Amino acid sequence: MSRPLLYLDVDGPLNPYAAKPHRRPMGYTTHRMKPEGWIAQHPGMPAAYVRPLRVWLNPDHGRRLRELAGLYDLVWATTWGTEANEFIGPVLGLPELPAVDWPVRYEAAAEDTFWKTRDLVAYAAGRPFAWVDDELGDADRAYVAGHHEGSALLLHIDPRLGLLDPDFRALDSFARTLGGRT
């Protein structure tokens, strides 16, 4: 039987980018990064002149995600793509993870869903999944319920706070309640 997938967004759940800029959340460390995706958002500017992106990461999240890897197959579901393996994974102590390859980014989606939703349902191909993201809403839950055969847990994460203890408990509980139904 297939294990459930855990789709991980970076900005919001792991990097609480919307927290007050002058107050790093407790437990987080500051990192300056220049992924290609960030440089591409500054067309015409030489890479050397692009200011690094400030990223806040909580090392304890790495430990907790490694524990969840005993229950889930972890997958990057972020615009960072495979660059999350280069910049985010090493800071958190995560192994290299597969990343969803987005055919189209930021395009308006049907049924008022977030642009990632259809692709994540397709990627799951009926496997149960949990998804942590700061852009989830009721339309996404309705779409998943109507178009995905497996169980799913969609957790909206406040981008000012990032993943919290109750989120990790919900992820653990969801995977354990699937039992033999995975």
Side-chain angles (χ1 to χ4, degrees):
M1 297 210 188
S2 296
R3 290 166 12 120
L5 300 167
L6 174 50
Y7 291 133
L8 298 169
D9 183 30
V10 170
D11 295 317
L14 297 175
N15 170 30
Y17 68 90
K20 292 183 180 184
H22 58 281
R23 277 198 72 177
R24 180 179 63 217
M26 189 172 2
Y28 285 80
T29 56
T30 303
H31 305 271
R32 304 287 179 189
M33 301 176 176
K34 274 195 190 183
E36 289 300 319
W38 176 246
I39 293 170
Q41 291 182 31
H42 301 84
M45 185 179 287
Y49 293 106
V50 174
R51 289 183 58 172
L53 180 64
R54 184 213 67 218
V55 178
W56 285 328
L57 297 171
N58 185 332
D60 191 51
H61 286 171
R63 177 189 61 80
R64 297 187 82 172
L65 289 170
R66 288 189 305 276
E67 289 171 359
L68 287 173
L71 301 169
Y72 289 95
D73 290 335
L74 306 182
V75 178
W76 294 119
T78 174
T79 56
W80 287 71
T82 57
E83 285 190 298
N85 284 318
E86 181 181 346
F87 291 95
I88 306 301
V91 174
L92 297 179
L94 296 176
E96 186 166 317
L97 303 175
V100 175
D101 184 25
W102 310 109
V104 180
R105 291 182 184 191
Y106 309 114
E107 185 174 287
E111 303 176 47
D112 293 323
T113 61
F114 182 35
W115 64 267
K116 292 179 182 179
T117 306
R118 288 178 180 258
D119 293 327
L120 294 181
V121 168
Y123 188 99
R127 283 177 73 179
F129 68 84
W131 177 17
V132 293
D133 207 302
D134 62 312
E135 305 252 2
L136 294 169
D138 291 337
D140 303 295
R141 287 181 184 81
Y143 183 86
V144 170
H147 296 86
H148 179 64
E149 295 174 15
S151 297
L153 172 66
L154 281 65
L155 284 179
H156 176 268
I157 306 300
D158 186 328
R160 296 169 300 163
L161 304 174
L163 284 165
L164 300 171
D165 286 340
D167 304 315
F168 284 104
R169 286 194 300 271
L171 291 166
D172 184 80
S173 178
F174 174 74
R176 291 181 191 283
T177 59
L178 290 173
R181 294 180 309 194
T182 57

